[in-house]
């Protein structure tokens, strides 16, 4: 049975990339941060509260933690506007007109204001992922989690999603990103964590990690992916 050894702190307005080999625990770790996976031990402190405490209000905390998955998970029977507004209206009690105005504003930011009436089947992969990012932003999260958001995309579509993520980072959004995009990790992230075998091998400022890797396992990994 895998023995996990993970202890780290994520700071407000920080962008952190998590890299490492497949099967190293990156996605499981990310999913633990909003309890889509339940840790068997330890604590996850968010805004001073241990969200692993069963007495806490997990749903309230989850509203503050947006997540974007590898697959887009859009509702295929709803158009873009309904995909974006259903949660804010039903969960947060936002007025429908207010939600629609906010959706248009965010769609303009990602270059998709003209697609509000389209259905997911009418969108490219890159467009779907940008919509998925907007859907998470509609809930006004304090933190955004990204689980390999470009891994299901064709190469020419990856850039348009990374551009949106870069703009979010520049705007000060707190982001934790599991990624295979080493350029994004090195150039956009404030810090990069190398995770292997359920353990943090290195955790340091991104440019330092890529310029001066210390762990033999990280050195070997970078030799293969760069």
């Amino acid at each position: 049975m895998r023995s996990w050894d993970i202890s780290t702190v994520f700071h407000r307005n920080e962008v952190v990339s998590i890299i490492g080999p497949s099967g190293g625990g990156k996605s499981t770790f990310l999913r633990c941060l909003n309890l889509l996976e339940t840790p068997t031990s330890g604590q996850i402190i968010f805004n001073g509260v241990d969200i692993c405490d069963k007495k806490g209000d997990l749903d309230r905390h989850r509203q503050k933690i947006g997540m974007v998955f590898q697959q887009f998970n859009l509702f295929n029977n709803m158009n873009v506007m309904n995909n974006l507004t259903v949660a804010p209206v039903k969960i947060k009690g936002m007025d429908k007109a207010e939600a629609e105005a906010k959706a248009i504003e965010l769609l303009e930011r990602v270059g998709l204001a003209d697609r509000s009436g389209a259905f997911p089947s009418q969108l490219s992969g890159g467009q779907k992922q940008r919509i998925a990012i907007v859907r998470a932003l509609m809930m006004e999260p304090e933190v955004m989690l990204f689980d390999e958001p470009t891994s299901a995309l064709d190469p020419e579509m990856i850039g348009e999603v990374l551009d949106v993520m870069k703009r979010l980072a520049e705007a000060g959004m707190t982001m934790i990103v599991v990624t295979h995009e080493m350029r994004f990790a090195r150039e956009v992230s404030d810090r990069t964590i190398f995770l292997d075998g359920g353990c943090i091998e290195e955790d340091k400022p991104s440019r330092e990690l890529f310029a001066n890797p210390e762990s033999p396992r990280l050195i070997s990994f970078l030799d293969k992916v760069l």
Side-chain angles (χ1 to χ4, degrees):
M1 187 173 180
R2 171 182 288 168
S3 175
W4 290 71
D5 182 16
I6 293 179
S7 180
T8 190
V9 176
F10 300 105
H11 301 283
R12 191 177 299 275
N13 307 125
E14 184 180 39
V15 179
V16 179
S17 284
I18 302 173
I19 65 171
S22 297
K26 304 183 300 299
S27 292
T28 299
F29 172 46
L30 193 77
R31 291 169 66 88
C32 282
L33 295 179
N34 64 356
L35 297 192
L36 289 179
E37 299 274 355
T38 304
T40 54
S41 63
Q43 294 179 305
I44 299 172
I45 307 298
F46 179 63
N47 285 343
V49 176
D50 180 7
I51 65 173
C52 296
D53 185 345
K54 291 182 172 58
K55 298 177 183 177
D57 187 349
L58 178 58
D59 288 338
R60 183 169 64 88
H61 289 296
R62 275 187 175 151
Q63 289 183 32
K64 300 176 183 178
I65 305 174
M67 187 156 186
V68 178
F69 300 89
Q70 297 178 34
Q71 301 298 329
F72 322 115
N73 294 344
L74 299 177
F75 298 113
N76 290 321
N77 62 328
M78 294 183 181
N79 65 20
V80 166
M81 181 58 72
N82 288 335
N83 262 284
L84 298 181
T85 58
V86 62
V89 170
K90 289 191 174 183
I91 297 175
K92 296 190 71 174
M94 187 181 291
D95 177 77
K96 185 177 181 182
E98 179 187 355
E100 290 181 350
K102 183 176 181 62
I104 290 296
E105 177 188 341
L106 290 172
L107 286 171
E108 288 175 348
R109 285 173 57 184
V110 301
L112 291 173
D114 61 335
R115 306 299 281 159
S116 63
F119 284 81
S121 61
Q122 299 171 307
L123 303 174
S124 69
Q127 289 174 330
K128 290 177 185 177
Q129 195 61 293
R130 282 185 281 165
I131 296 298
I133 292 172
V134 170
R135 182 178 58 183
L137 292 173
M138 286 290 295
M139 298 298 286
E140 299 179 329
E142 295 181 22
V143 180
M144 286 280 283
L145 309 179
F146 294 85
D147 187 6
E148 299 185 18
T150 60
S151 65
L153 301 179
D154 293 332
E156 66 269 21
M157 297 177 184
I158 290 174
E160 62 191 45
V161 174
L162 291 180
D163 284 343
V164 171
M165 293 172 65
K166 289 175 185 176
R167 291 200 295 273
L168 283 177
E170 290 166 357
M173 173 62 73
T174 306
M175 298 164 58
I176 306 169
V177 185
V178 170
T179 184
H180 291 297
E181 299 294 330
M182 296 300 117
R183 184 174 178 180
F184 177 89
R186 180 172 53 202
E187 298 181 3
V188 179
S189 301
D190 302 295
R191 180 160 58 98
T192 295
I193 293 172
F194 175 66
L195 193 65
D196 184 35
C199 297
I200 292 178
E201 292 277 344
E202 289 200 36
D203 179 354
K204 61 178 65 170
S206 296
R207 292 189 182 276
E208 181 182 342
L209 181 139
F210 283 95
N212 299 296
E214 298 177 41
S215 159
R217 185 69 186 90
L218 174 56
I219 293 170
S220 173
F221 174 80
L222 294 178
D223 281 344
K224 294 174 182 177
V225 299
L226 292 179

